[in-house]
Amino acid sequence: MLKDEVRTKSYRDSIYQNGHLFKDKVVLDVGCGTSILSMFAVKAGAKHVIGVDMSTIIEKAKEIVELNGMSDKITLLQGKMEEVVLPYDKVDIIISEWMGYFLLYESMLDTVLYARDKYLVKDGLIFPDKATIFAAGIEDGDYKEEKIGFWDNVWGFDYTPLKQTAMTEPLVDTVDLKAVVTDPSPIVTLDLYTCTTADLAFRVPYKLKARRSDFVHAIIAWFDIEFSACHKPIRFSTGPHTKYTHWKQTVFYLRDVLTVEEGEEIVGELENKPSEKNHRDLDITISYKLNTDDMHRQASGTGMYKMC
Amino acid sequence: MLKDEVRTKSYRDSIYQNGHLFKDKVVLDVGCGTSILSMFAVKAGAKHVIGVDMSTIIEKAKEIVELNGMSDKITLLQGKMEEVVLPYDKVDIIISEWMGYFLLYESMLDTVLYARDKYLVKDGLIFPDKATIFAAGIEDGDYKEEKIGFWDNVWGFDYTPLKQTAMTEPLVDTVDLKAVVTDPSPIVTLDLYTCTTADLAFRVPYKLKARRSDFVHAIIAWFDIEFSACHKPIRFSTGPHTKYTHWKQTVFYLRDVLTVEEGEEIVGELENKPSEKNHRDLDITISYKLNTDDMHRQASGTGMYKMC
């Protein structure tokens, strides 16, 4: 968190620029870590901040809060959100940095929603309050060959059983903007005021329009985050068109190489759900079909991926 | 393993170039993973290879061995070395890729030694059979400031409690050869035919002679591996003077910055032992003293580090 400039600066700006929202308010920091957001909130004028984290990092957070003279303003609690006893029945604002890779992998969003339902006053605020997953198609021939083709001949042996495994593992990596072949397309938006844990499993159609004639080896996903309660809304993106964040992008290789012409569309559905075996893993299914009249280029299929 | 050229090539060469040693022998591959070393041994003429691994990767290994037509030559067993039942009472050769960061962090060496004592015939061979840890002093001002100094002011707050934590965590990273200020010095050598688990905890003196006048911010460690049973001995190093390996080097920052003149020596002791709390963690203590008559540059201290 601390070393990710884009992320921490967005949180800082959204809090510091909105002192009028934080002034004299009770704030809950879900998954507070070293308490950086809690300290931002105190500086912005909060009456009191409660930071909750399961990790032993809370001991370091206490030292840091003490050193920075905020011990009377920040209460730090180690434990599960569902189990800790807060010094207030209700809070005015929830702040949290809960996002994982592909937004939802190992994310703390369910904990934030729990805290919202139990503690947030009516008309209370959530920072951030909106998250949108986007997708696009990319040309990635060289890297796909390196990552996937590698298994065809490993030191003289046939390792294709691991090729199948490699295909099902989405890759978290930075994608060069030049590799993006299609327009980006929003897949799903989560409104943190209204969404429920059920909304974290979804199956949605998508449509990706080719910007140029090229090959498409993979579909990538990323997310944008919005603090819309701010006087002047603050957003940041984790897409390939903007500054590096530690979330990078998530790459899903397709079995087929799609040969697309400018203006053609790749259509399909993207399904995401927590794995039945392990609720922290994600099962992601992406179907794809290239809409073209050219029968030599027609292609469709379905990829099943597991983030674990 | 598979994508680390230096490592896998060294194992492959040491096995392929020594068919006379492997011919008709029973071989045990400790921690076989995807079974690459087992397949090397079969190609080199082994009568039979037993591969043992705790991980479910063994299921993939079975598919791979089958695909490569070696199912009758390789027996793959999932489980702990201490618990599996081998199809042979004794083996002629043990092969294993057991090394971890700093050689011993999360290493499987104790398992290899167990297998040696229980299964290796008298005069049996071990591939590899020798490992030496080296140390050197480096100039690393910029990076130390970035890694350690960072905590002095984090987004406007005093985070020095995390500075202490950062100092105790050795950094696994690639070190530029130009940063190396002293001669390298061997710290400890493990002979796999004779060493015992007790030898994995050690406290040894070291002496690092400055090659040039410069500053020393850290002591780094790496290791060399030798297959001395080979007809023509094969070695590889994980030091800063040679090709990249995934082990990189391990960097221990010193509290002091040592201002050394060419020819002067940094002397001290390096102690390594498994952590009492968690046997898989390492507690490493490095004392250091700059031997100089210049009282303005005299410096000494002790750093305590934890690899976990």
Side-chain angles (χ1 to χ4, degrees):
Chain A
M1 168 90 190
L2 300 169
K3 292 190 179 181
D4 189 320
E5 287 270 332
V6 169
R7 152 168 87 165
T8 310
K9 189 172 181 306
S10 301
Y11 276 89
R12 188 196 63 180
D13 290 350
S14 73
I15 295 171
Y16 281 2
Q17 292 177 12
N18 294 280
H20 60 291
L21 299 176
F22 280 85
K23 180 132 182 52
D24 298 329
K25 295 292 165 57
V26 174
V27 177
L28 174 61
D29 181 355
V30 178
C32 64
T34 64
S35 74
I36 187 83
L37 302 187
S38 298
M39 293 194 292
F40 285 156
V42 168
K43 272 219 173 180
K47 182 170 90 178
H48 202 86
V49 184
I50 308 143
V52 178
D53 206 298
M54 281 175 55
S55 159
T56 53
I57 189 73
I58 215 94
E59 290 307 318
K60 286 287 167 191
K62 283 179 185 170
E63 287 181 52
I64 290 165
V65 164
E66 172 84 37
L67 255 180
N68 290 281
M70 296 185 181
S71 293
D72 58 331
K73 290 280 192 180
I74 299 177
T75 301
L76 294 167
L77 303 171
Q78 188 183 348
K80 287 189 176 180
M81 200 67 230
E82 293 80 357
E83 293 169 7
V84 294
V85 180
L86 304 198
Y88 292 84
D89 288 341
K90 291 287 173 184
V91 303
D92 302 301
I93 301 179
I94 289 175
I95 54 179
S96 182
E97 198 284 85
W98 53 268
M99 299 83 78
Y101 296 133
F102 185 65
L103 187 65
L104 296 172
Y105 177 58
E106 294 199 334
S107 100
M108 283 192 303
L109 181 52
D110 49 352
T111 305
V112 173
L113 300 184
Y114 175 89
R116 174 198 68 188
D117 294 341
K118 184 161 179 185
Y119 294 113
L120 192 64
V121 295
K122 189 173 174 304
D123 301 324
L125 301 177
I126 305 177
F127 281 69
D129 55 357
K130 206 184 270 187
T132 302
I133 296 176
F134 289 83
I138 63 165
E139 192 287 324
D140 201 26
D142 290 350
Y143 206 51
K144 187 182 179 189
E145 178 54 30
E146 190 185 321
K147 285 281 163 189
I148 309 294
F150 171 82
W151 302 106
D152 286 329
N153 182 337
V154 176
W155 298 90
F157 300 105
D158 181 343
Y159 261 67
T160 45
L162 292 185
K163 192 174 180 172
Q164 300 312 316
T165 309
M167 278 294 288
T168 66
E169 289 170 350
L171 218 65
V172 174
D173 211 344
T174 47
V175 173
D176 190 336
L177 182 58
K178 289 197 290 288
V180 178
V181 172
T182 75
D183 285 336
S185 177
I187 297 290
V188 73
T189 294
L190 298 173
D191 178 334
L192 268 68
Y193 292 111
T194 57
C195 79
T196 66
T197 51
D199 297 326
L200 310 187
F202 51 81
R203 180 175 176 169
V204 289
Y206 71 86
K207 191 182 286 188
L208 303 173
K209 189 172 178 182
R211 288 174 168 176
R212 63 173 187 255
S213 298
D214 205 333
F215 303 100
V216 170
H217 299 89
I219 287 176
I220 64 166
W222 69 89
F223 59 87
D224 285 11
I225 291 295
E226 192 173 332
F227 301 79
S228 64
C230 295
H231 179 63
K232 181 178 164 187
I234 287 175
R235 294 184 192 87
F236 72 92
S237 175
T238 65
H241 56 286
T242 184
K243 274 194 196 167
Y244 171 90
T245 74
H246 83 287
W247 285 290
K248 304 176 184 174
Q249 290 86 46
T250 307
V251 181
F252 302 88
Y253 284 113
L254 305 179
R255 210 179 46 234
D256 300 293
V257 179
L258 307 180
T259 308
V260 302
E261 298 276 356
E262 186 181 337
E264 286 178 349
E265 285 178 340
I266 303 164
V267 298
E269 284 188 331
L270 188 151
E271 181 182 14
N272 172 70
K273 59 181 181 192
S275 172
E276 280 172 26
K277 271 196 201 161
N278 181 344
H279 203 262
R280 292 174 68 83
D281 297 347
L282 293 182
D283 285 335
I284 299 160
T285 305
I286 300 177
S287 67
Y288 57 91
K289 178 169 183 275
L290 175 58
N291 271 345
T292 174
D293 295 331
D294 180 350
M295 57 175 287
H296 298 296
R297 293 191 291 108
Q298 280 169 2
S300 65
T302 300
M304 294 176 56
Y305 309 89
K306 189 175 265 299
M307 291 191 82
C308 57
Chain B
M1 167 89 187
L2 300 170
K3 293 190 178 179
D4 189 320
E5 288 270 332
V6 169
R7 150 167 89 164
T8 309
K9 190 171 182 305
S10 301
Y11 276 89
R12 188 196 63 179
D13 291 350
S14 72
I15 295 171
Y16 281 3
Q17 292 178 10
N18 294 280
H20 61 291
L21 299 176
F22 281 85
K23 180 134 184 46
D24 299 329
K25 294 292 166 57
V26 174
V27 178
L28 174 60
D29 181 353
V30 178
C32 63
T34 64
S35 73
I36 187 82
L37 301 187
S38 298
M39 294 195 290
F40 286 157
V42 168
K43 273 219 171 179
K47 181 169 91 180
H48 201 87
V49 183
I50 308 142
V52 178
D53 205 298
M54 281 175 56
S55 159
T56 54
I57 189 74
I58 215 94
E59 290 307 319
K60 287 287 168 193
K62 283 179 186 171
E63 287 182 52
I64 291 165
V65 164
E66 173 84 37
L67 255 181
N68 289 281
M70 297 185 180
S71 292
D72 58 331
K73 290 281 193 180
I74 299 177
T75 301
L76 293 168
L77 303 171
Q78 188 183 349
K80 286 189 177 180
M81 200 66 232
E82 293 80 357
E83 292 168 8
V84 294
V85 179
L86 304 198
Y88 292 85
D89 288 342
K90 291 287 174 184
V91 303
D92 302 302
I93 302 179
I94 289 174
I95 54 180
S96 182
E97 197 285 85
W98 53 268
M99 298 83 77
Y101 296 133
F102 185 64
L103 186 65
L104 296 172
Y105 177 58
E106 294 199 334
S107 100
M108 284 192 303
L109 181 51
D110 48 353
T111 306
V112 174
L113 300 184
Y114 175 88
R116 174 198 68 188
D117 294 341
K118 184 161 178 185
Y119 294 112
L120 193 64
V121 296
K122 188 172 174 300
D123 300 325
L125 301 177
I126 305 176
F127 282 70
D129 56 356
K130 207 185 270 185
T132 303
I133 297 175
F134 289 83
I138 63 166
E139 191 287 324
D140 201 25
D142 291 349
Y143 207 51
K144 185 181 179 190
E145 178 55 29
E146 191 186 320
K147 284 281 163 190
I148 308 293
F150 171 81
W151 302 107
D152 287 329
N153 181 338
V154 176
W155 297 90
F157 300 105
D158 181 344
Y159 261 67
T160 44
L162 293 185
K163 192 173 181 174
Q164 301 310 316
T165 309
M167 279 293 288
T168 66
E169 289 170 351
L171 217 64
V172 174
D173 210 343
T174 48
V175 173
D176 189 336
L177 182 58
K178 291 196 290 287
V180 178
V181 173
T182 74
D183 286 335
S185 178
I187 296 292
V188 73
T189 294
L190 297 173
D191 178 334
L192 267 69
Y193 292 110
T194 56
C195 80
T196 66
T197 51
D199 295 327
L200 311 187
F202 51 81
R203 180 175 175 169
V204 288
Y206 71 85
K207 192 182 286 188
L208 303 173
K209 190 172 178 180
R211 287 174 167 176
R212 63 173 185 254
S213 297
D214 204 333
F215 303 99
V216 170
H217 299 90
I219 287 175
I220 65 166
W222 68 89
F223 59 89
D224 285 10
I225 292 295
E226 192 172 331
F227 302 79
S228 64
C230 294
H231 179 63
K232 181 178 163 187
I234 287 175
R235 294 184 192 86
F236 72 91
S237 175
T238 65
H241 56 287
T242 185
K243 275 193 196 167
Y244 172 89
T245 74
H246 83 287
W247 286 289
K248 302 176 184 173
Q249 291 85 46
T250 308
V251 181
F252 302 87
Y253 284 112
L254 305 179
R255 210 178 45 235
D256 299 292
V257 178
L258 306 180
T259 307
V260 302
E261 299 276 355
E262 186 181 339
E264 285 178 350
E265 286 177 339
I266 303 164
V267 298
E269 283 188 331
L270 187 150
E271 182 182 14
N272 172 70
K273 58 180 182 193
S275 172
E276 279 172 27
K277 272 195 201 163
N278 181 345
H279 203 261
R280 292 176 67 84
D281 297 346
L282 294 181
D283 286 335
I284 299 160
T285 305
I286 300 177
S287 68
Y288 56 91
K289 178 169 184 275
L290 174 59
N291 270 345
T292 175
D293 294 332
D294 180 350
M295 58 175 286
H296 298 294
R297 293 189 292 107
Q298 280 169 2
S300 65
T302 299
M304 293 174 61
Y305 309 89
K306 190 174 267 298
M307 290 190 83
C308 57

